[in-house]
Amino acid sequence: MSTKNNKFKIYVLHFSHTDVGYTDTQEKMKAHHVAFIKEVLDIIDEREDFKWNCETYWVVECFLKEASQKDVTRFIAAVKNGRIGLSGSYLNLTELVPEGVYREIMSDCKKQRDLLGIEAKSALTADINGYSWGFADILAEQNITNLMSCIHTHHGYHPMMKKQMPFWWESPKGKKVLVWNGDHYNLGNELGFAQASSFEYTIQDGLTFSDLNQFDKSVLRIKTYVETIKEQGYEYPFVPISLSGNMTDNSPASTKIPDFIEEFNQLDCDIELEMCTLDDFFDLLQAQDRIEIPTYKGDWTDWWADGIGSTPADIIQYRRAARNYNIVEKMDSERQLISDEMFKSARHDLMFYGEHTWGYSSSITEPYHPQVNNLDQWKRLYALKASETTTIMLEKVQQNLGETALSLRKELQFKAVNPHNRPVKEMLTIDLEHFYGHENFDVVDKETGEFVPFQISRYSRGPEMCIWLDMKEKEEKVFVLKEKEKRLNSPGLKALTGIEGVDDLAWRRAEELMTGGTASIEGIENNYLKIDFNKTSGIYSIYDKVRDIEYRDNDKPYGMFTPIYEVTPREMGEDYLFVRRNLGRNRKAFRTERSVGKLCDVKILENGDLYSRVELKYDLQGTGDCAVILTTYHLTPKMDIDLRLHKDSVWEPENVYLSLPFISKTTYIDKCASIVRPRIDQLPGTCVDFYSIQNGLVFENDKSQILLSCQDTPLISMGTLDAHNIRLMGDDVSNTAEVYSWVMNNFWETNFKASLGGFYQFHYEMEISDKKDVADSFEQLEAMNEGVLQFYTFE
């Protein structure tokens, strides 16, 4: 590769965009991509002017599993000879994938390359609009030092407010990856390199229906493109342009591309075309020393992260599977119980559900189409398989720790195991149909003989045992039931409750507060927290009694944990696709209708020795039933929040949020392999309206931190919910603006799920701590999300 002839050079990166499940089923795409590589090997044998890039390493992995030894040998030779370029990225992913899974997959791929004697110095991604800041560390750890980003500005945008430019991306750990901030992955198709330029997508030049023939049209577009970028200050004597064989995803290779290049290069023109690999291009870029490449650090926030909100039921399963995987990894890091194959199977399914394709291309326009529903089920299958595999893994771990089947001849016990390298305070909760012979009992720590606090709740089939846990790191505890003499009830001199269980006297609430905590129709209170609510404002106060701090920010518009619903009605003649397309990057329109949940009823569910629980019923459009359930604990400054919805099925674009108006001096979130201050720790020009998180948020103040875990809902929205001019990182935006849990949405106009209808319950946990190291706080959030192992055992 050379630019010595003084001609402007266009380096052509030919690959097939891996969009698994957009054009057909995942398994069919796997077969296609394996066949594409086999065909590429034949093309390479036939002509010397052809080069190919494997956009994802997954396709290489699939090929190596299925190809003959002869084809494997040909492939390795083609890679070593520079005819096939490898990408170190595994798939084009969302930010759902957890850090441990990501790192293990990438490590496995590098081990495979090392055994074959090939390397991937560069990574290529296409279509997706961003990556977690920690992705830079994950790449660098595998000796992948270059990243080509072929972004897609459909409802998204490129960082730096500028395409076709390099920068060094400094990771959270201080490592650097050289990034080429590229253009759309099919730009070369529009320019006509594949001899088919009769369309306009990113190029809006009006040539589509001109009288020019295909070749002349392409020449004109190429010359105009080069002139345009030079006029806009482009300084390099070369530029990369990527394309597929056809203007579509999952496309085979095309020999029309080298044919066109040969014909174009015969023109008397100051532009020259040449096919190249990723490494070819980055080697050339690194060799130039005329232009200084700037360094930036921060999160490359993904504009398409919000699409995961269209499948909330699947995400609940996925997040549970991810938690199970991490717990088992902590409990069996040496692989004494669980086989490597089970871990690999779980990682595969977690990775594949996290892939950026969310369904068939006509999911919105034809939601009843058999292929739409087929691919929706295929996508869901990965989350379910991951949940199944990790549940089996977790059961094996628990059985090794002593979990048994039910027995009518043995003594019932309860066991808890803390898998974390830190102490935890939480509640053991186990459902049983009955207590197997025990009627009146205390709960005793088997090892110490000490009585422990407990509370008996109810579930649909019987009692629910709740035991308070205060556990050291990696500690195990066993609890037994000790019978005691039954005490008869008597009305006495003072009636605790009225006839039919009526319990609404203020002095009763005061007595309960003196013994731990209480819940009433006015609020919940214990020694740590006082939460107040009313019909007008919903939850209008969360007060820290220990530190004398009010955590509800009165400058923010909605009550604490208030559910909010939005729907955008269609205009006359507007179809379901265009009502969405016209929303743009706002994800809503000026005409979007918003319903703020109105608190209409309060039910006291429980007042016991361990916790108090209330159900707040909300009147909310778009739902048949909506409730927020609050549970406060008497022995720690912690509260659980559960959002229950019976969501209507609506075809128009919708959003559901939960308001989080906490006072904060600094807001933090955790993403894959990184902790980020949104709107501060970001690349210039990136999205500041929403984020995908791993465990939760930390709202930090002068004396305290509020830790909020978001177990089932990985999306948050930041800033006003009103339609607005889109601001980017670098504009005047605040890190302490309004925050919302973005529970679900269905606004995307192509391949995301159209209907959100169904029954849901989403879990959150809030805990207050003294101000401390933020990294430690996110370790605590992880422990809150994952909980402790808890099960019954019969001895």
Side-chain angles (χ1 to χ4, degrees):
M1 295 180 62
S2 173
T3 58
K4 292 182 179 179
N5 59 9
N6 294 322
K7 287 190 174 185
F8 186 89
K9 202 71 167 283
I10 294 180
Y11 289 108
V12 179
L13 290 158
H14 184 24
F15 57 85
S16 177
H17 174 49
T18 314
D19 218 333
V20 190
Y22 183 70
T23 57
D24 215 312
T25 63
Q26 289 85 345
E27 284 301 309
K28 184 165 287 189
M29 287 306 96
K30 174 182 172 182
H32 284 190
H33 281 283
V34 169
F36 296 163
I37 294 178
K38 292 180 180 179
E39 187 175 35
V40 163
L41 292 174
D42 293 336
I43 296 172
I44 287 173
D45 287 344
E46 294 166 7
R47 53 194 306 166
E48 296 180 355
D49 57 351
F50 184 86
K51 288 190 176 184
W52 175 258
N53 292 277
C54 297
E55 184 208 47
T56 63
Y57 194 76
W58 168 73
V59 302
V60 177
E61 185 181 66
C62 294
F63 168 80
L64 293 172
K65 285 179 181 177
E66 299 188 11
S68 67
Q69 186 55 52
K70 178 182 177 181
D71 281 345
V72 171
T73 302
R74 293 168 70 204
F75 177 81
I76 293 172
V79 172
K80 289 182 175 180
N81 293 334
R83 304 293 299 282
I84 291 180
L86 294 185
S87 171
S89 57
Y90 189 72
L91 285 166
N92 297 300
L93 297 167
T94 67
E95 294 182 303
L96 271 178
V97 182
E99 176 182 353
V101 170
Y102 214 143
R103 280 200 157 95
E104 285 292 321
I105 289 268
M106 296 288 278
S107 177
D108 288 345
C109 292
K110 186 176 186 303
K111 289 175 184 176
Q112 183 181 65
R113 293 193 295 270
D114 289 345
L115 287 172
L116 297 172
I118 56 180
E119 64 176 343
K121 297 187 299 183
S122 308
L124 169 64
T125 67
D127 210 12
I128 55 178
N129 272 253
Y131 330 84
S132 167
W133 190 10
F135 181 56
D137 272 321
I138 292 173
L139 290 177
E141 288 163 7
Q142 304 302 326
N143 296 326
I144 299 167
T145 55
N146 308 309
L147 171 62
M148 171 72 72
S149 176
C150 298
I151 52 101
H152 195 318
T153 56
H154 179 77
H155 295 332
Y157 200 62
H158 39 75
M160 316 302 167
M161 286 74 80
K162 186 178 179 182
K163 299 178 290 183
Q164 298 292 45
M165 61 161 286
F167 65 91
W168 289 101
W169 188 15
E170 185 175 333
S171 77
K173 294 181 179 178
K175 300 177 181 180
K176 287 188 177 181
V177 173
L178 180 58
V179 175
W180 186 269
N181 187 23
D183 211 318
H184 192 278
Y185 58 94
N186 282 133
L187 177 60
N189 295 92
E190 284 190 87
L191 291 173
F193 296 169
Q195 298 186 22
S197 55
S198 296
F199 48 83
E200 297 177 19
Y201 191 52
T202 63
I203 300 174
Q204 304 290 326
D205 59 7
L207 286 181
T208 301
F209 301 106
S210 72
D211 294 332
L212 291 174
N213 62 42
Q214 289 288 346
F215 183 79
D216 290 342
K217 188 185 301 182
S218 298
V219 171
L220 180 56
R221 277 185 167 172
I222 291 167
K223 289 181 177 179
T224 304
Y225 177 79
V226 173
E227 290 170 2
T228 301
I229 62 174
K230 286 182 176 181
E231 289 170 0
Q232 293 175 349
Y234 189 82
E235 297 181 272
Y236 290 90
F238 54 82
V239 71
I241 300 290
S242 59
L243 79 161
S244 295
N246 286 320
M247 180 70 177
T248 185
D249 302 327
N250 307 306
S251 171
S254 173
T255 55
K256 291 182 178 181
I257 296 168
D259 289 342
F260 175 83
I261 290 174
E262 182 180 9
E263 186 176 1
F264 182 92
N265 287 343
Q266 292 173 359
L267 299 174
D268 183 17
C269 177
D270 59 359
I271 301 170
E272 187 176 34
L273 311 182
E274 181 180 338
M275 298 191 83
C276 76
T277 66
L278 278 174
D279 288 349
D280 289 338
F281 175 76
F282 278 106
D283 287 346
L284 179 68
L285 178 61
Q286 298 232 32
Q288 71 81 33
D289 55 9
R290 183 173 62 87
I291 303 169
E292 184 179 356
I293 298 175
T295 298
Y296 297 96
K297 58 183 180 180
D299 192 62
W300 190 331
T301 313
D302 183 8
W303 284 91
W304 289 5
D306 48 352
I308 61 179
S310 68
T311 52
D314 299 358
I315 297 299
I316 291 173
Q317 291 290 331
Y318 182 91
R319 300 272 280 190
R320 179 182 294 115
R323 293 193 299 273
N324 287 349
Y325 181 93
N326 208 28
I327 292 171
V328 175
E329 178 66 48
K330 291 175 180 179
M331 297 299 296
D332 190 32
S333 59
E334 300 298 322
R335 305 296 189 265
Q336 299 297 309
L337 296 173
I338 313 299
S339 69
D340 280 336
E341 287 307 308
M342 287 198 77
F343 274 99
K344 287 180 180 178
S345 175
R347 285 198 298 270
H348 172 273
D349 292 329
L350 287 166
M351 201 65 143
F352 251 87
Y353 190 83
E355 199 266 346
H356 78 299
T357 316
W358 232 248
Y360 192 56
S361 56
S362 61
S363 296
I364 293 298
T365 54
E366 300 176 292
Y368 34 72
H369 193 286
Q371 190 71 314
V372 170
N373 288 295
N374 182 33
L375 291 187
D376 175 50
Q377 296 298 323
W378 269 89
K379 181 72 174 179
R380 177 176 296 119
L381 183 60
Y382 288 108
L384 296 178
K385 287 195 299 183
S387 185
E388 177 188 40
T389 302
T390 57
T391 298
I392 293 170
M393 293 163 68
L394 191 63
E395 286 293 326
K396 286 180 178 288
V397 169
Q398 292 187 169
Q399 288 163 13
N400 184 65
L401 291 167
E403 183 178 21
T404 68
L406 300 170
S407 174
L408 295 173
R409 301 191 304 138
K410 298 176 182 178
E411 180 60 26
L412 169 65
Q413 299 180 145
F414 300 97
K415 187 169 185 178
V417 179
N418 179 10
H420 311 293
N421 292 317
R422 61 180 303 114
V424 296
K425 292 182 179 181
E426 68 166 67
M427 193 165 65
L428 174 148
T429 304
I430 295 179
D431 297 338
L432 288 168
E433 292 188 54
H434 51 81
F435 287 109
Y436 292 85
H438 291 283
E439 294 184 6
N440 302 286
F441 53 82
D442 288 317
V443 176
V444 176
D445 185 311
K446 186 176 182 180
E447 181 179 357
T448 66
E450 295 177 349
F451 293 94
V452 298
F454 73 99
Q455 184 170 331
I456 297 176
S457 183
R458 302 289 300 177
Y459 80 115
S460 59
R461 293 177 60 84
E464 182 177 69
M465 171 58 80
C466 303
I467 301 172
W468 185 248
L469 301 173
D470 191 344
M471 304 183 74
K472 301 173 185 175
E473 62 180 67
K474 298 294 186 181
E475 186 178 15
E476 300 182 13
K477 286 190 175 185
V478 177
F479 303 98
V480 296
L481 306 185
K482 183 177 180 180
E483 285 294 313
K484 64 179 182 180
E485 182 180 349
K486 183 176 181 179
R487 182 174 178 177
L488 297 176
N489 290 326
S490 176
L493 298 176
K494 194 170 186 178
L496 298 179
T497 59
I499 303 301
E500 307 296 346
V502 174
D503 187 5
D504 55 8
L505 294 172
W507 67 262
R508 280 274 293 146
R509 305 288 80 84
E511 281 191 351
E512 288 168 346
L513 181 58
M514 290 294 292
T515 58
T518 186
S520 74
I521 59 171
E522 297 175 354
I524 310 180
E525 187 174 0
N526 55 34
N527 292 329
Y528 301 97
L529 296 171
K530 187 175 187 295
I531 295 99
D532 295 311
F533 36 77
N534 60 31
K535 278 190 174 184
T536 303
S537 305
I539 303 170
Y540 64 86
S541 173
I542 294 184
Y543 176 65
D544 182 343
K545 296 171 67 175
V546 176
R547 299 172 184 83
D548 187 25
I549 301 174
E550 171 59 54
Y551 291 122
R552 161 74 165 95
D553 188 342
N554 290 318
D555 291 332
K556 292 171 182 171
Y558 307 113
M560 192 69 73
F561 306 119
T562 297
I564 299 166
Y565 172 73
E566 292 180 339
V567 63
T568 304
R570 292 174 297 134
E571 294 179 333
M572 184 176 296
E574 191 177 32
D575 66 17
Y576 290 99
L577 185 150
F578 277 96
V579 68
R580 287 165 163 82
R581 182 161 294 171
N582 293 336
L583 300 180
R585 297 182 181 95
N586 255 298
R587 276 58 175 173
K588 64 194 67 181
F590 188 86
R591 69 177 183 273
T592 295
E593 299 171 355
R594 182 177 306 139
S595 166
V596 180
K598 183 173 178 56
L599 183 59
C600 57
D601 195 15
V602 176
K603 293 182 179 178
I604 314 306
L605 300 182
E606 297 192 54
N607 266 321
D609 294 335
L610 283 186
Y611 62 88
S612 299
R613 180 173 291 158
V614 297
E615 179 184 45
L616 309 181
K617 299 279 285 186
Y618 285 86
D619 182 10
L620 184 69
Q621 292 180 23
T623 68
D625 190 68
C626 177
V628 173
I629 298 168
L630 304 180
T631 305
T632 56
Y633 296 91
H634 303 340
L635 299 175
T636 194
K638 178 180 177 181
M639 178 166 67
D640 292 354
I641 305 98
D642 289 276
L643 172 64
R644 286 182 180 172
L645 293 174
H646 178 198
K647 180 69 189 64
D648 298 341
S649 180
V650 177
W651 200 343
E652 285 77 13
E654 306 173 282
N655 295 299
V656 175
Y657 303 97
L658 196 68
S659 176
L660 308 173
F662 288 102
I663 285 179
S664 179
K665 292 290 183 69
T666 309
T667 303
Y668 298 85
I669 59 176
D670 68 330
K671 306 186 78 176
C672 181
S674 58
I675 296 170
V676 173
R677 294 171 298 173
R679 300 178 162 198
I680 298 175
D681 302 321
Q682 293 184 221
L683 297 181
T686 49
C687 174
V688 295
D689 280 351
F690 48 86
Y691 304 85
S692 176
I693 61 179
Q694 286 286 315
N695 286 292
L697 305 95
V698 172
F699 300 94
E700 185 173 81
N701 293 289
D702 292 333
K703 296 190 293 183
S704 65
Q705 289 177 343
I706 305 156
L707 282 62
L708 183 74
S709 76
C710 303
Q711 195 173 89
D712 306 311
T713 49
L715 293 174
I716 64 163
S717 175
M718 200 166 198
T720 179
L721 292 183
D722 294 340
H724 57 278
N725 291 328
I726 297 298
R727 291 173 175 82
L728 304 172
M729 183 60 203
D731 294 335
D732 184 19
V733 290
S734 171
N735 168 260
T736 59
E738 304 162 34
V739 177
Y740 302 87
S741 173
W742 198 350
V743 180
M744 59 178 74
N745 67 70
N746 73 342
F747 67 84
W748 198 260
E749 77 259 29
T750 53
N751 63 316
F752 292 107
K753 192 171 174 63
S755 172
L756 299 169
F759 293 90
Y760 303 95
Q761 180 159 318
F762 305 96
H763 186 68
Y764 305 81
E765 295 182 13
M766 184 199 82
E767 189 164 335
I768 297 171
S769 75
D770 291 331
K771 188 174 180 179
K772 59 182 180 179
D773 178 70
V774 173
D776 184 71
S777 297
F778 279 102
E779 287 183 12
Q780 185 175 342
L781 274 168
E782 179 182 279
M784 288 166 61
N785 258 335
E786 294 173 0
V788 301
L789 300 176
Q790 44 188 272
F791 48 87
Y792 48 72
T793 176
F794 286 79
E795 284 197 354

